Amino acid sequence: MKLQRKNRVRALAVGALAVSGALALTACGSDNTTGGSGGGGSSTKAANIKCDGKGKLLASGSSAQKNAMDVWVQNYAGACQGTEINYQPTGSGAGITTFLQGQTAFAGSDSPLKPEEITKSKAVCKGGQAIDLPMVGGPIAVGYNVPGVDNLVLDAPTLAKIFDSQISNWNDPAIKKLNPGAKLPDLKIQAFHRSDDSGTTDNFTKYLKAASGGAWKHEPGKKWEGTGGQAASGSAGVSSQVKQTSGAISYFELSYATSGKIPTVKVATGAKAPVEATVDNASAAIAAAKPAGQGNDLALKLDYATKAEGAYPITLVTNEIVCDKGNKADTLPATKSFLTYIAGKDGQDALKALGYAPLPTEIADKVRKTVATLS
């Protein structure tokens, strides 16, 4: 069984790399997108994918779900001939903007739609509006590069001060207090944040605002508002900077820390023990999320200040943004087919090996039922 699981994880990783390369070519100007074999209206027992529709399906947004989307797109392409899925990880803000301009079939966003965005969507979703469909969960890891420090604990007030340039050195007394046994060097902190409008930034700053006891003075949002620091584009950009910069720290999805072999911070939440950024610990937090949307909108509200044992507080849920009514006739069948697959058991089962948290069963069931009603 262990050997089978290793082989499965290896296959998923290879698939992610293959599609990642294909999407990189597309982003550079190539018209190549991922397609496959299978045929409209058919299904494959191997992946349990029902294929509907043909043509090119354009989507963009969250870079947090990129590694998951790479595997999903490859698996779907292997089953469904004549349907090309082209997902560009442009960031949540850019993805929503493009969707609201009517250029994509759906968008990925790590933050639920704002009321003004829902209102604006009615011009694109004729007779309907845009809705949030939770699809990918997971921890936002705080990765660091501090020579000689393999185990690091930080809390929300300390993180807030680090990312707001109020704590500037790794041997600061506040960090020492949280890590009494660590040999913290006299080294300048290099804090990196996202340069693009990012749902990951939105969730991270919501955590800082909710849990830091007033240490984070800025309003949460997709656009970075902290003082100082350095910027890089996308989760890939900030994680790359951490990996290559001594003294660096930043926030990104766990899959980037895992693939880059970047150590991550354990978060002191007020629970008995600091909580590690793991899929299971993020799942514990996501399972406690409350419904925040109305009607077919399935947006969730997370508790960033949780003190529950084993619940990792810095989490996000990526939503696929789609019209409930008024979808384009030429892309609707493929959109429903693809979203049904990724919300299904096979699609969700692929997530954990990639560092993501599968949706709780109850939420995944609601997503699939809602997808079936799209028109």
Side-chain angles (χ1 to χ4, degrees):
M1 292 297 292
K2 290 183 178 180
L3 180 58
Q4 290 177 347
R5 187 174 186 277
K6 287 181 179 178
N7 288 337
R8 180 172 176 271
V9 172
R10 187 179 296 112
L12 289 171
V14 170
L17 289 172
V19 180
S20 178
L23 290 179
L25 289 174
T26 303
C28 292
S30 169
D31 289 330
N32 293 336
T33 52
T34 305
S37 60
S42 66
S43 64
T44 170
K45 293 181 180 179
N48 196 27
I49 298 174
K50 183 178 184 297
C51 304
D52 285 317
K54 289 188 177 182
K56 183 180 292 185
L57 198 66
L58 301 178
S60 65
S62 164
S63 65
Q65 68 173 353
K66 176 188 180 297
N67 294 335
M69 192 62 73
D70 285 351
V71 171
W72 283 338
V73 167
Q74 188 200 33
N75 290 346
Y76 190 84
C80 303
Q81 185 178 13
T83 303
E84 299 178 352
I85 310 291
N86 184 342
Y87 182 84
Q88 296 297 323
T90 56
S92 298
I96 290 177
T97 297
T98 303
F99 175 80
L100 293 177
Q101 292 171 345
Q103 298 180 29
T104 51
F106 67 91
S109 176
D110 307 320
S111 300
L113 289 161
K114 296 177 180 179
E116 59 268 27
E117 292 171 335
I118 293 176
T119 299
K120 189 175 181 180
S121 74
K122 294 178 181 180
V124 176
C125 306
K126 303 299 183 182
Q129 65 181 41
I131 57 173
D132 298 279
L133 298 177
M135 201 65 72
V136 184
I140 301 174
V142 180
Y144 66 95
N145 181 346
V146 183
V149 180
D150 298 323
N151 187 20
L152 183 67
V153 176
L154 296 173
D155 58 13
T158 307
L159 282 166
K161 292 173 184 177
I162 286 173
F163 280 93
D164 207 26
S165 299
Q166 297 176 48
I167 292 178
S168 58
N169 203 287
W170 280 109
N171 64 356
D172 187 274
I175 303 176
K176 284 184 174 181
K177 185 177 180 180
L178 290 164
N179 300 273
K183 295 182 179 180
L184 296 166
D186 182 6
L187 177 66
K188 183 180 178 181
I189 295 175
Q190 307 282 351
F192 286 89
H193 58 265
R194 292 278 291 271
S195 60
D196 51 319
D197 284 3
S198 159
T200 308
T201 293
D202 189 25
N203 284 275
F204 182 63
T205 53
K206 282 177 179 175
Y207 158 74
L208 294 178
K209 189 71 172 180
S212 69
W216 186 253
K217 307 297 183 183
H218 313 281
E219 287 303 310
K222 294 185 181 75
K223 183 178 180 180
W224 183 258
E225 299 289 350
T227 303
Q230 303 174 65
S233 179
S235 296
V238 290
S239 60
S240 177
Q241 289 295 330
V242 170
K243 188 171 178 64
Q244 67 189 21
T245 305
S246 180
I249 186 171
S250 190
Y251 55 94
F252 37 81
E253 293 68 42
L254 179 61
S255 61
Y256 290 90
T258 302
S259 62
K261 298 181 179 179
I262 301 170
T264 61
V265 169
K266 292 180 180 177
V267 179
T269 64
K272 293 179 181 179
V275 185
E276 188 176 356
T278 68
V279 169
D280 289 339
N281 290 344
S283 294
I286 293 170
K290 305 297 183 184
Q294 297 181 351
N296 285 333
D297 192 302
L298 302 181
L300 299 172
K301 183 177 181 180
L302 298 166
D303 181 7
Y304 300 97
T306 181
K307 294 180 173 62
E309 298 297 328
Y312 184 76
I314 320 176
T315 58
L316 61 75
V317 173
T318 301
N319 302 284
E320 310 309 336
I321 308 298
V322 67
C323 295
D324 60 355
K325 298 178 181 179
N327 290 278
K328 295 179 180 178
D330 58 338
T331 59
L332 177 60
T335 298
K336 294 176 70 171
S337 171
F338 181 68
L339 295 181
T340 298
Y341 156 60
I342 66 177
K345 185 178 186 302
D346 289 319
Q348 291 294 305
D349 281 352
L351 293 177
K352 195 166 183 179
L354 299 170
Y356 296 101
L359 293 174
T361 301
E362 181 181 356
I363 295 174
D365 288 344
K366 288 181 179 179
V367 171
R368 289 194 299 275
K369 289 178 181 177
T370 301
V371 170
T373 68
L374 300 181
S375 63

